[in-house]
Amino acid sequence: MMDTEIAPVRICAADDCSIPSPMGTGRYCYGCKIDRNREYHRANLERLESNAMEKRYGITMVEYDAILISQNGVCAICGGTSEQFDKRNGRVRKMHVDHDHRTNIVRGILCHRCNTAIGSMYDSPELLLRAVEYLTFERTPHG
């Protein structure tokens, strides 16, 4: 017969919680850990967004805002604004940082639709020009 060891357990460190938290998984039970992470993100959202933008695109939120101001607060392609709401938190989503995927150089700020459009064309000027030619080609009605 094999001896079974019982893992040591401690009580969650949250003041209003008494759920056991397995040793080695931290001081808080799973539910309290999720709640604490959510509170931390709400309290530090701007700093976390700025850090993520700097890590991903190499620009700060101040630089993002400066680029957007230089574009008069609108999409660099269509001139529209982004009024999309994030369903998770009800906030207006920021417009997209457009960058060259090969060099990682930021080109500008785009709305979701324009960013998706040029991404769908693989950021290829040749493909985009062919699309313009296609759209402007005079056709006769079929029939």
Side-chain angles (χ1 to χ4, degrees):
M1 178 176 232
M2 188 180 235
D3 288 333
T4 57
E5 289 185 32
I6 297 175
V9 174
R10 72 174 128 200
I11 301 301
C12 177
D15 292 336
D16 58 347
C17 183
S18 60
I19 296 174
S21 173
M23 295 291 274
T25 62
R27 298 178 51 216
Y28 299 94
C29 69
Y30 183 75
C32 289
K33 190 177 202 178
I34 296 289
D35 291 343
R36 287 174 57 82
N37 285 345
R38 193 173 289 132
E39 288 172 25
Y40 177 82
H41 279 81
R42 279 191 197 117
N44 297 286
L45 189 60
E46 284 186 28
R47 185 174 57 81
L48 293 170
E49 284 180 345
S50 185
N51 289 347
M53 185 166 297
E54 193 162 1
K55 184 177 180 180
R56 186 169 187 180
Y57 302 112
I59 64 171
T60 64
M61 286 302 292
V62 171
E63 291 169 311
Y64 172 94
D65 291 339
I67 294 167
L68 194 55
I69 289 168
S70 75
Q71 296 176 192
N72 296 318
V74 296
C75 173
I77 294 177
C78 72
T81 59
S82 179
E83 291 299 322
Q84 292 185 330
F85 288 92
D86 191 329
K87 293 176 185 173
R88 297 171 295 175
N89 58 25
R91 295 178 44 226
V92 175
R93 286 186 180 169
K94 293 193 178 302
M95 295 207 311
H96 298 264
V97 176
D98 176 46
H99 66 288
D100 185 312
H101 290 262
R102 289 171 289 136
T103 64
N104 213 33
I105 293 174
V106 173
R107 295 184 283 225
I109 309 294
L110 303 178
C111 69
H112 174 73
R113 186 170 298 186
C114 290
N115 190 52
T116 301
I118 67 169
S120 296
M121 291 285 182
Y122 308 106
D123 293 357
S124 166
E126 295 82 17
L127 276 178
L128 289 164
L129 287 172
R130 287 173 54 189
V132 169
E133 289 173 9
Y134 172 81
L135 289 172
T136 58
F137 181 74
E138 291 288 327
R139 291 182 176 76
T140 56
H142 294 287

